[in-house]
Amino acid sequence: MASARDRRHPRVRLQPAILTGGAVLLALIGLLFLGIVAEQGKMERLAADSQDRMVPLILERQRAVVNLERLKQSGAIVLSADDPRRRREALLAAQALAFHPTFQFDPSLKRQVTDAYSVIRQVSSAKARRSENVPAGDTAPSAEEERLAETWAQTLVELNTVGDRLLVDVTELTAGRLGQIQERTRLVSQVIQFAFVAVLAIFIAAGLLIRRHVVRPLLSAADGLRRIGEGERDIRLPGARTQELDSILNAVVRLGTQAEELRLTRDRAEAASQAKASFLANMSHEIRTPMNAVIGLSHLALKTDLTPRQRDYVLKISQSGQHLLGIINDILDFSKIEAGKLSVERTGFHLDKVLGTLADLIAEKAAAKGLELIFDVAQTVPSDLIGDPLRIGQILVNYANNAVKFTERGEIAIIVRLEEEAGSELLVRFEVRDTGIGLSDEQKHQLFQSFQQADASTTRKYGGTGLGLAISKRLAELMGGSVGVDSAPGRGSCFWFTARLGRDKPRRVLLPRPDLRGLRCLVVDDNENARVVLTDMLSAMSFTAEAVDSGPAAIQAARFAAREGRPFRVVLLDWQMPGMDGLETSAGLAALELDQAPHHIMVTSYGREEVLKGAENTAIEEVLFKPVNPSALFDGIMRVLGADEQAADALPVPAAASTADLSGLRGARILLAEDNDLNQQVACELLGDAGLAVEVAENGAIAVDMVQAAHYDLVLMDMQMPVMDGVAATLEIRRLGFADLPIVAMTANAMQADRERCLDAGMNDYLAKPIDPDALWTTLLTWIVPRPGLGADAPAPLPTPVADDEGDLPAGVPGLDTVTGLSRVLGKKRLYLDLLRKFAAGQREVVTAIRGALDAGDLAAAERHAHTLKGTAGNIGAHPVQDAATDLETVIRDARPRPEIDERLAALEPPLGALLAHLEAALAPTGDTAPSTAQPAAVDAVELHALCDRLRQLLLDSDPDAEEALAANADLLRAAFPNRFETIAGQIRNFDFDEAAAALDAALTDRGITAQA
């Protein structure tokens, strides 16, 4: 890189040179302008002179010529006329002309005119005398008249000569003046031409000078800048004649030098950034590895028998490890923000679940400090939203942790409000209010900035990195919202953020069955905000709620309500209240011995074991832990009321009956790539009932082979399968040339990134599990291309006898939404019961399988197990298990630390274990699988033969309708094949159609019946 040139600067400065040149140019133009003005003045004076002097002279002579002609005419009349009157008139006219002022300008002309008049007068006198002396009739002229006639002829000659001379004078005067004007005009034209040429020459000269001394240096500077932009290092530029432009060129050269230095600095910065990223990754790995051991071993140690002092030490070690892990996560998130790689998802989520996770993380901390934790969600805020639940929870956890940290007494309220609503797009405001130390204006201005804290002194009481609020601000902005804080010293703080979210299809509407609506509830809590929140929740659920602030007030209100004939059916009691606590209040209410005693529910934020132990042998029927979300409150009330689970779980949003007309698709061939037998059964049943022919591939590799071997109208492709996943299978199918084959992803992966992966791989559309029949029909109608053989041209499906109901659905199973589950299978109770049995049988060991895969380091297998559990739980309507499996799958996919994965796995075990236990207890063996103790029914050989032929054909066609045929004719088949029926039924339910066909053939052979080929 060449440095700036070290040489003497030119003496000429651009600005004075331009000013001087401009002044000279203006002076020259001014001189030319003055010359043109001078010539124009002469022209004007010449015109004025012509107007004042020449025009009167010319007009005078012209009038003299005219009067001469008139005089000659008068003389001719006098000479030729015999009428005395006419001669007299002509004579008078000649007299007037002879003495007219027109002829006064020239004495000789005046004399000649006077002489001519004298002759006219003499002729007139001679004619008059002749008329008097000569007899009438004598017309011969006299000698005098002849003489006068000759005289008049000579006079006429003279007059003509005078007239010609006057005309010549006029012509000469006019020509002379015109000549002068032409000369002046020529001079003016020459001056203008000269001025134009001079100005043009001046401008050309100025342009050449500017081009040479201004434009050329500027072009050189621009070329230098271009070369700098292209990365050229050695920049050398010519000098300039002016100081300013020379300075510009020197600046360009210096800029090139600085650009090279900046380039080197940028390279070093990028290398440093890469080194920092590598360092952070290595640091994260190196710190997380021992931290996993510290946290994990601490967790295990806390499960052993420890002395109180040892337990305190180990607990503090675990808490310190979790705190350090949080700091590491903040640093990594901040690094992502700096690199612009932090993004947010947009997927469906349940707000109660986000708040429940928040409560799990901070409730114990708040309870340890004696703080009341309140969730206040407005009724206008929908529970089912579309957004990024992880990031929303991250901001809330950060805000809430700060609130707990800076609050010594009082309460912490998590408030959710709806600010804007535009169709399905919502602007939701989240607030975390506390009664802590508050903030000054100066401290508020420092918040939401990186590495800034309200108290940054070395003697500060509260810890932290100062990154949490900066990360929260960036996350809120990514979600289309903003952040802020309202606070005053000593009056607490309100940290808030907004996020733009979508409205998702609601899974639950918290309304009891009609006979329970309007049910009277009493809320007993000494905290006003807690009372308001609970009463609002109860009112939104159609209950009638009243609230009191103490135990004695509750007893009095219950006694008064019973006396008025409006007793309370449910009483919600806070545990820790001044004077009379919740347990004492419950005992006091029981002592009233009311005719209709209310159900008692304890609502508390304090130690679970202590509360549960204290509630034993009391009237307390249910314990809810603060902060209570609407779902938990609703379910608790329904449980104590003893309502059946189907009604208690919730009234689902009425689903409109499917209006999709699939008759045009009947006979279409569908390939289902799915490894889970439960999901296979659901899809096959739905598609088979619609008249579609379904074939199943248990992994992506089999699907690729089947696509090459046969024609399919559409492929339903799961993403996560063994051997070859759905994405790899789709890429392979497209590579083989099946570009027009519609492939639709059908998976439980609902994140936006997963959708994009499917579409990028070449899939045409996306269906999320659990399978929504309406969405499935819409997708089929969109992508299946009509062809000959479909619709009316397709053979009608074999009629299947309708199977009898296998009993009532299981009731009282916690966490099982049977209404939603039935909707997944279009209300088929038998199919739904089969799905429940398969779920109970297939997912019994899933936690052990996931833990074993994690121990073996096989994250892919662990994620696949969690993914399968998530999808199957969604199919049957087990929402708590589905949500817990979703969280587990997320942390496994993100390769989070093992303690965090174990925490999610531990959170999955209780709802899954309870669900499996209740299902196993509720699903007693049904009629088609339990051994029959009745006498064998008589077997109709003809009916049996027809049934077996039809069933065998269904099995050979791998038609799921075989299971319905089996269920509808279970008694006949059990009577005919008592030793083989269980085997055949089990194989059909497991979709082992080939083995079932072989077993059926063997059973027919045992009875001496030959199966038809």
Side-chain angles (χ1 to χ4, degrees), residues 509 511-520 541-544 651:
V509 173
L511 286 175
R513 66 193 187 202
D515 61 306
L516 295 178
R517 298 176 188 177
L519 183 119
R520 288 174 52 76
M541 298 172 189
S542 78
F543 297 132
T544 301
L651 289 181

Side-chain angles (χ1 to χ4, degrees), residues 670-674 697 699-718 721 724-745 758 760-764:
I670 308 296
L671 175 60
L672 173 65
E674 171 64 63
N699 59 58
I702 297 176
V704 173
D705 294 338
M706 294 179 68
V707 166
Q708 297 180 78
H711 168 77
Y712 296 97
D713 295 289
L714 184 136
V715 177
L716 293 173
M717 185 75 71
D718 188 18
M721 295 181 290
M724 179 183 288
D725 63 23
V727 172
T730 301
L731 292 172
E732 182 65 16
I733 291 173
R734 297 305 188 205
R735 188 188 66 81
L736 292 173
F738 295 93
D740 297 330
L741 175 62
I743 301 178
V744 177
C758 294
D760 292 342
M763 298 186 187
N764 300 88

Side-chain angles (χ1 to χ4, degrees), residues 60 64 97-110 114:
E60 186 180 54
L97 289 173
F99 298 101
H100 194 273
T102 304
F103 304 112
Q104 300 299 324
F105 68 90
D106 189 351
S108 68
L109 176 60
K110 180 179 179 181
T114 303

Side-chain angles (χ1 to χ4, degrees), residues 74-275:
S74 298
I77 291 172
V78 170
L79 185 63
S80 59
D82 293 330
D83 185 3
R85 186 178 57 79
R86 289 191 62 199
R87 285 199 304 271
R88 187 165 49 256
E89 291 175 354
L91 181 61
L92 291 174
Q95 181 181 1
L97 289 173
F99 298 101
H100 194 273
T102 304
F103 304 112
Q104 300 299 324
F105 68 90
D106 189 351
S108 68
L109 176 60
K110 180 179 179 181
R111 180 180 56 78
Q112 290 178 338
V113 170
T114 303
D115 292 341
Y117 168 70
S118 177
V119 173
I120 292 171
R121 185 169 53 78
Q122 292 176 8
V123 171
S124 176
S125 300
K127 280 188 173 286
R129 286 193 299 271
R130 182 172 62 83
S131 299
E132 294 175 357
N133 300 324
V134 178
D138 187 3
T139 59
S142 63
E144 182 180 8
E145 290 178 5
E146 290 179 354
R147 178 181 60 79
L148 290 172
E150 291 178 0
T151 302
W152 173 247
Q154 293 177 357
T155 301
L156 282 177
V157 173
E158 293 176 356
L159 289 175
N160 288 336
T161 301
V162 171
D164 292 340
R165 180 170 57 82
L166 289 175
L167 291 176
V168 170
D169 289 345
V170 171
T171 301
E172 288 179 352
L173 288 172
T174 303
R177 186 56 64 179
L178 288 176
Q180 293 178 354
I181 292 174
Q182 289 176 352
E183 180 65 20
R184 291 298 176 187
T185 303
R186 184 179 61 80
L187 289 175
V188 172
S189 176
Q190 289 178 351
V191 170
I192 293 175
Q193 292 175 3
F194 175 75
F196 175 77
V197 172
V199 171
L200 182 62
I202 291 171
F203 275 108
I204 291 174
L208 292 175
L209 291 174
I210 291 174
R211 182 176 181 274
R212 179 176 180 181
H213 298 295
V214 178
V215 176
R216 189 176 297 171
L218 290 177
L219 292 176
S220 298
D223 181 66
L225 292 175
R226 178 187 59 79
R227 290 157 59 190
I228 291 173
E230 293 175 352
E232 188 173 338
R233 300 187 176 185
D234 190 9
I235 305 297
R236 299 181 183 275
L237 300 176
R241 295 290 299 276
T242 61
Q243 293 180 8
E244 291 85 353
L245 294 177
D246 192 69
S247 299
I248 291 176
L249 295 176
N250 284 334
V252 171
V253 174
R254 287 194 299 271
L255 181 61
T257 303
Q258 294 171 359
E260 177 62 18
E261 294 174 354
L262 288 175
R263 189 178 296 110
L264 295 175
T265 303
R266 182 198 63 191
D267 294 340
R268 288 193 294 267
E270 289 178 351
S273 178
Q274 183 64 33

Side-chain angles (χ1 to χ4, degrees), residues 406 437-440 442-444 446-447 452-457 460 462 466 469 495:
F406 293 100
I437 60 177
L439 296 166
S440 65
E442 181 181 356
Q443 290 171 330
K444 286 191 292 185
Q446 294 176 354
L447 298 178
Q452 293 291 329
Q453 293 179 304
D455 181 10
S457 65
R460 61 197 177 114
Y462 307 101
L469 293 180
F495 282 83

